[in-house]
Amino acid sequence: MKISLTGIKPTGTLHIGNYFGAIKPALALSARYDARYFIADYHALNVMKDPSALRQSVLEVAAGWLAAGLDTKKVIFYRQSSIPEIFELTTILHAFTAKGLLNRAHAYKALVQANNEKGADPDAGINMGLFTYPVLMAADILMFDSDVVPVGRDQTQHIEMAQDIAQALNFNYRQELLKIPQAAVEEEVAVVPGLDGRKMSKSYGNTIPLFASEKELKKLIMRIVTNSQGVEEPKDTESSQIFALYKLFASADERRALAERYRAGGMGWGEAKEALFFVVNRELSPLRERYNALISNPDSLIATLEEGAEKARVIAGKTLARLRKACGI
Ligand code: TRP
């Protein structure tokens, strides 16, 4: 079976955008691939310096993926920080990474540009972890002989860099020591609109948390911005973010029925929001229950991640031994 691997950055509470954009597609892939999914906690350290926030984020992400259906009997699920071999591989990869490659990374360039625009020193606020981020990410991927890496479009440059670095190393030793990974970007994933109609994103502050309580969920849905059309007016489905969200959670029949009510008029936005709340809550309430049970037992979550790490380390140990030998270390 081919290998699918992805890293999950533990930065903040999971929301519905993460669910449709990352969690669901990755879990679907895990049925057809040997999947290795991990929490990239050392990547998060570059931007999260508050230990309790980082610890809490790791637990929330772990509980979230498990509640959404990640099956640890099938998927190796671990914390990056539990695999010291990854950091040794990072050191090896540094020797094959042109500094110029990292200079060209979009994420790094955006930080430099923001500094320039502010008239600040170009390096202000940029730590070496951010600069070398793509090398650590390449080690995450290359360590596990990954065939495909399910990621969002914003991450494709990182996958190309992992390819470049692996090729440079393979070329030097005249051997296929590292498998060349491919990005798997979900083309189909619908943009999940946030409360204000822009793409749902933590940075816009317009998210619906995946595990919001029923009460909070209702409150947030009622806050979705609409136009000022009255009850009797027919409504447009295309431009309605209520409808866009409804589509994600409803059956085909339900979708058609709501579209018909939009066309016919006589339904106010309040009622459309009630319909949306019903389908969202129907899908999320079993997840929420599992999540609440998982998050209330952090020791057991950590134990689950450690079991995954044990399995991952067996693979990582082999890759690293192969590389050390090839390098003459
Ligand atoms: N950089 C990824 C993100 O921001 C997270 C990540 C870290 C990752 N290591 C990875 C993704 C390895 C895929 C493979 O979302």
Side-chain angles (χ1 to χ4, degrees):
M1 224 186 320
K2 293 210 167 184
I3 295 164
S4 148
L5 173 141
T6 200
I8 306 149
K9 228 168 25 174
T11 46
T13 302
L14 292 171
H15 57 74
I16 287 177
N18 302 134
Y19 182 57
F20 288 101
I23 301 177
K24 273 194 139 180
L27 292 182
L29 222 53
S30 72
R32 291 184 283 122
Y33 286 82
D34 227 336
R36 286 117 202 226
Y37 296 160
F38 70 95
I39 302 176
D41 47 359
Y42 267 127
H43 272 122
L45 181 65
N46 296 319
V47 291
M48 286 181 91
K49 300 301 198 294
D50 172 353
S52 54
L54 181 52
R55 210 174 287 125
Q56 184 59 24
S57 238
V58 168
L59 293 172
E60 285 184 13
V61 163
W65 280 67
L66 292 167
L70 185 146
D71 177 359
T72 54
K73 286 199 280 301
K74 292 207 199 96
V75 180
I76 307 183
F77 189 47
Y78 55 95
R79 284 175 296 179
Q80 180 186 43
S81 59
S82 304
I83 320 292
E85 290 82 359
I86 290 176
F87 310 101
E88 188 169 342
L89 178 57
T90 303
T91 300
I92 297 176
L93 298 183
H94 275 146
F96 293 90
T97 306
K99 176 169 173 288
L101 183 76
L102 299 183
N103 287 339
R104 289 190 291 277
H106 301 319
Y108 167 71
K109 273 174 37 183
L111 294 172
V112 173
Q113 194 190 338
N115 281 334
N116 286 336
E117 279 163 12
K118 279 189 299 203
D121 183 294
D123 292 330
I126 304 175
N127 61 52
M128 284 304 289
L130 288 172
F131 185 63
T132 60
Y133 186 108
V135 192
L136 178 55
M137 182 159 160
D140 292 332
I141 297 169
L142 300 172
M143 180 66 95
F144 294 97
D145 301 321
S146 312
D147 292 288
V148 300
V149 186
V151 284
R153 187 164 298 291
D154 63 318
Q155 295 295 314
T156 52
Q157 190 195 30
H158 289 147
I159 312 298
E160 287 160 15
M161 290 179 158
Q163 295 169 342
D164 284 354
I165 297 168
Q167 271 154 355
L169 185 142
N170 287 348
F171 178 76
N172 182 73
Y173 298 112
R174 303 289 193 272
Q175 287 177 66
E176 286 294 316
L177 287 165
L178 295 170
K179 191 186 277 181
I180 309 300
Q182 303 299 329
V185 178
E186 252 336 291
E187 306 289 348
E188 295 293 285
V189 171
V191 175
V192 180
L195 298 174
D196 58 0
R198 291 186 291 174
K199 177 179 188 257
M200 187 176 291
S201 158
K202 198 182 91 174
S203 50
Y204 294 149
N206 63 357
T207 62
I208 302 178
L210 192 50
F211 304 111
S213 69
E214 206 169 295
K215 205 167 139 212
E216 194 190 344
L217 183 62
K218 186 153 218 173
K219 215 168 78 192
L220 288 169
I221 288 177
M222 292 303 155
R223 267 201 357 228
I224 294 175
V225 178
T226 61
N227 63 24
S228 56
Q229 282 183 307
V231 173
E232 291 312 321
E233 288 177 75
K235 295 177 177 62
D236 176 34
T237 51
E238 284 301 304
S239 60
S240 162
Q241 60 245 35
I242 298 175
F243 196 80
L245 285 167
Y246 190 81
K247 276 203 299 203
L248 295 167
F249 290 95
S251 69
D253 282 347
E254 288 171 328
R255 239 177 283 154
R256 270 193 296 275
L258 189 67
E260 185 43 42
R261 296 214 55 203
Y262 265 65
R263 264 192 297 277
M267 179 187 62
W269 290 125
E271 202 186 328
K273 287 177 179 179
E274 293 284 353
L276 174 60
F277 170 75
F278 175 79
V279 291
V280 176
N281 194 50
R282 179 181 65 193
E283 176 152 347
L284 296 188
S285 57
L287 271 71
R288 182 194 304 130
E289 256 173 56
R290 283 197 293 273
Y291 178 82
N292 288 337
L294 287 159
I295 200 74
S296 66
N297 195 345
D299 290 346
S300 144
L301 274 174
I302 297 294
T304 301
L305 291 166
E306 281 305 302
E307 279 171 33
E310 255 176 61
K311 295 183 213 161
R313 286 196 72 184
V314 173
I315 306 167
K318 288 184 189 152
T319 308
L320 193 58
R322 175 170 93 222
L323 281 161
R324 292 179 65 141
K325 183 155 172 263
C327 295
I329 298 283

